[in-house]
Amino acid sequence: MKTSNKLCYCMFFALLLGNSSEAQFFKKLAKKAEKAAERTVERRVESETSKKTDQALDSILEPGSVGKQAPDTQGNGNTTGTSSESTTSTGSIATGPKTIQVYSKFDFVPGDKPLFYDDFNDEFMGDFPSKWNTNGSGEVVTLGTIPGKWYSVANRSLTIPNLGITLPEDFTMEFDLKVVNLSRNTGSGAILAIYLSETDGLKTNENYVKANLNFCQYIAIGVRVDNNFKGDPAPIANTLQQDFRELYKDVVHVSIAVNKNRYRLWLNENKVVDLPQFIVSPELINYVKFYVNGIDKQKRQEQVLISNLKISEGGVDLRRKLMSEGKISTNGILFNSGSADILPQSMGIIRQISQVLNQDSSISLNIVGHTDSDGSDESNITLSKDRAEAVKKALVSVYGISEDRLSSEGKGEAEPVADNGTAQGKAQNRRVEFIKK
């Protein structure tokens, strides 16, 4: 009897303990669910609050603009020394095929003296590019539907083009960017950092300016800009918020112009950054560096690819030079390979030429096309003529210049200005001249 009673007591206490543990388990589960719900509500409230704030600002700054896509903006740096977000958040940047009409107000003009060019066409597939250095890894690859060769920069790699010289105070830099396999899993740490730095060492703890292009897909982040100069009491650290998520799903042309203290950056035709005092000490900005982070090639097959890097000494106003000297030559007007199709990002130069013609109605111009030595003499003569004619048509159709004031001709490969044996030399020889008649 006693044994039976003890057994009953033991079963009773075991049942109580089981019920107590189960109750605690469900209690903890309920708390986790409650916290998760709170976080979801907070995120939604924050998102809606941000939208309402943006609409209120738009209604004050640009009456009648609420509900419409905000225009392209250029941000000013935060000079408080702390990180801040831009108060203007634009809608998604337009994507799809770009035309010269879309780029008609594009005001980037590349420098007129090439310093470095690399399209990786002379490299073997799978090799690290011969004109570069890195503390990580990378390789030259091709993309199935996109022409040319590309440098795939490995994650957490700092990589440097071997310029052979230091950067001048006035220069421009351009390159094509493709980010592969972006998805909702691409996080906020996925970036390409573009450094302009003091030394050519594989480090970043020095004087520099940088722009972070952020590839996050689940929220719109934009471009972050930072400068770091020893002794500077008011460094800039700012995020210029725009929605580039769709833009990064295609090839993006990145353009940067440096004029002493001033720093400007474009993504395709959109001017994103224009900071007049970003480069505190221009004499300390000597080299270009790229850093990739937050990219998962192994699990998600993400890659950051760059190609057609071109760095040129700049600062000469082509308009003034044409007016004073009566002639300019530029290799900044680019065409699709082997064709006379003008690449839209070339419109900054053509726009400047139109401004000269509009300012002085007495000026007439002869447009002369030149090619590199690839192909036969006959085909290059034809190609150079077609390219000069394409520029002429752009001035007429886009900017309204009278066709009677323009003529065109092509000289093929007959008058090279550089060695056709190198990619950089070929890039210099592919040029367009404008000559006052």
Side-chain angles (χ1 to χ4, degrees), residues 76-82 84 227 232-238 275 277:
N76 293 314
N78 168 37
T79 57
T80 63
T82 59
S84 69
N227 64 1
D232 180 17
I236 291 173
N238 195 15
L275 298 171
Q277 297 298 321

Side-chain angles (χ1 to χ4, degrees), residues 410-427:
K411 295 190 176 181
E413 60 184 271
E415 298 179 5
V417 294
D419 181 8
N420 273 307
T422 67
Q424 185 169 332
K426 288 179 181 178

Side-chain angles (χ1 to χ4, degrees), residues 331-381:
N331 56 16
I333 299 178
L334 306 177
F335 302 84
N336 280 321
S337 179
S339 84
D341 297 331
I342 301 173
L343 294 182
Q345 58 264 28
S346 305
M347 292 304 291
I349 293 175
I350 299 176
R351 179 172 179 259
Q352 282 202 354
I353 300 301
S354 73
Q355 290 171 335
V356 173
L357 292 167
N358 282 323
Q359 180 174 312
D360 188 344
S361 59
S362 68
I363 293 178
S364 296
L365 292 178
N366 185 33
I367 304 167
V368 184
H370 299 267
T371 70
D372 59 31
S373 61
D374 290 350
S376 67
D377 291 349
E378 184 179 352
S379 64
N380 283 334
I381 285 289

Side-chain angles (χ1 to χ4, degrees), residues 196-351:
L196 303 179
S197 295
E198 182 179 5
T199 76
D200 60 353
L202 293 167
K203 61 179 183 178
T204 57
N205 58 334
E206 56 186 357
N207 295 295
Y208 67 79
V209 299
K210 73 168 178 175
N212 282 1
L213 309 185
N214 195 295
F215 309 127
C216 180
Q217 290 295 293
Y218 61 82
I219 55 173
I221 294 181
V223 175
R224 180 177 175 83
V225 290
D226 295 87
N227 64 1
N228 180 71
F229 290 93
K230 186 177 180 180
D232 180 17
I236 291 173
N238 195 15
T239 298
L240 309 174
Q241 188 180 0
Q242 291 196 50
D243 192 348
F244 295 121
R245 287 175 290 181
E246 290 298 318
L247 191 76
Y248 288 131
K249 292 181 180 179
D250 201 349
V251 174
V252 179
H253 190 74
V254 182
S255 308
I256 294 173
V258 171
N259 300 102
K260 294 183 174 64
N261 304 105
R262 187 180 182 185
Y263 177 98
R264 289 171 291 165
L265 181 147
W266 294 258
L267 298 179
N268 288 346
E269 78 278 15
N270 308 293
K271 186 189 289 183
V272 183
V273 180
D274 194 344
L275 298 171
Q277 297 298 321
F278 191 48
I279 302 178
V280 176
S281 302
E283 70 278 6
L284 299 179
I285 297 302
N286 299 310
Y287 298 95
V288 177
K289 301 178 184 180
F290 297 92
Y291 177 70
V292 168
N293 198 22
I295 294 296
D296 190 339
K297 183 179 180 181
Q298 184 174 2
K299 293 182 180 179
R300 298 198 292 266
Q301 290 74 55
E302 297 168 342
Q303 293 186 72
V304 174
L305 312 172
I306 59 179
S307 190
N308 299 311
L309 175 65
K310 178 182 177 183
I311 302 173
S312 301
E313 187 171 355
V316 176
D317 189 324
L318 296 180
R319 294 167 296 187
R320 296 183 185 278
K321 187 174 182 179
L322 180 57
M323 294 286 285
S324 62
E325 300 180 14
K327 174 181 177 180
I328 59 169
S329 176
T330 176
N331 56 16
I333 299 178
L334 306 177
F335 302 84
N336 280 321
S337 179
S339 84
D341 297 331
I342 301 173
L343 294 182
Q345 58 264 28
S346 305
M347 292 304 291
I349 293 175
I350 299 176
R351 179 172 179 259

Side-chain angles (χ1 to χ4, degrees), residues 5 11 44 52 114 116 314 324 334 342 362 401:
N5 289 339
M11 292 176 64
R44 289 183 179 179
K52 296 297 183 185
F116 181 89
S324 62
L334 306 177
I342 301 173
S362 68
I401 304 301

Side-chain angles (χ1 to χ4, degrees), residues 171-190:
F171 68 92
T172 60
M173 178 169 69
E174 302 172 77
F175 62 95
D176 292 323
L177 168 69
K178 180 73 177 88
V179 191
V180 179
N181 288 325
L182 291 174
S183 70
R184 291 282 297 177
N185 293 321
T186 304
S188 59

